[in-house]
Amino acid sequence: MDAFDRLETTIRARRDTDPAASYVASLFAKGRPKMVQKLGEEATETVIAALVQPDKLVSESADLIFHLAVLLADAGLSLDDVRAELTRREGVSGIEEKAGRNR
């Protein structure tokens, strides 16, 4: 089990716990709009780190992936679903893949 698998296991375990005692539970209690807001904030912080605070890029990326994993869990999805999509795209150029979405 890698760190991403452990993260998803932790998210599932804390999802229905006391929101006062768990940040994960508090996100689930506040609902998807809050999850999306947090994901957007973390995406912005990751972009800023990439441009002006490269020493924070890894930690901001971890925050971004964490909040993405929470949102995926709320949607009944997992990082395995993302892995499967990336596997599906292997060997297809980005230009080709994007053009295929518009059909």
Side-chain angles (χ1 to χ4, degrees):
M1 182 180 282
D2 71 7
F4 293 120
D5 294 329
R6 288 189 302 276
L7 173 63
E8 288 184 314
T9 298
T10 300
I11 289 168
R12 283 191 301 273
R14 294 184 183 167
R15 178 180 188 153
D16 296 319
T17 61
D18 179 6
S22 167
Y23 178 65
V24 169
S26 74
L27 288 172
F28 280 99
K30 292 173 184 171
R32 191 170 291 180
K34 184 63 173 182
M35 293 174 197
V36 170
Q37 175 192 349
K38 289 302 297 179
L39 183 66
E41 289 172 9
E42 296 304 338
T44 300
E45 290 172 10
T46 301
V47 169
I48 291 168
L51 293 173
V52 297
Q53 296 175 308
D55 59 311
K56 294 185 177 182
L57 183 55
V58 170
S59 65
E60 293 299 344
S61 296
D63 291 346
L64 178 62
I65 291 169
F66 166 82
H67 284 88
L68 176 60
V70 169
L71 180 61
L72 288 169
D74 186 60
L77 300 168
S78 71
L79 292 171
D80 281 343
D81 296 303
V82 177
R83 286 180 181 103
E85 177 62 13
L86 291 171
T87 298
R88 185 191 70 75
R89 293 181 186 188
E90 281 181 16
V92 178
S93 82
I95 294 170
E96 259 180 69
E97 194 282 326
K98 190 168 185 173
R101 285 190 245 162
N102 297 324
R103 293 183 189 157

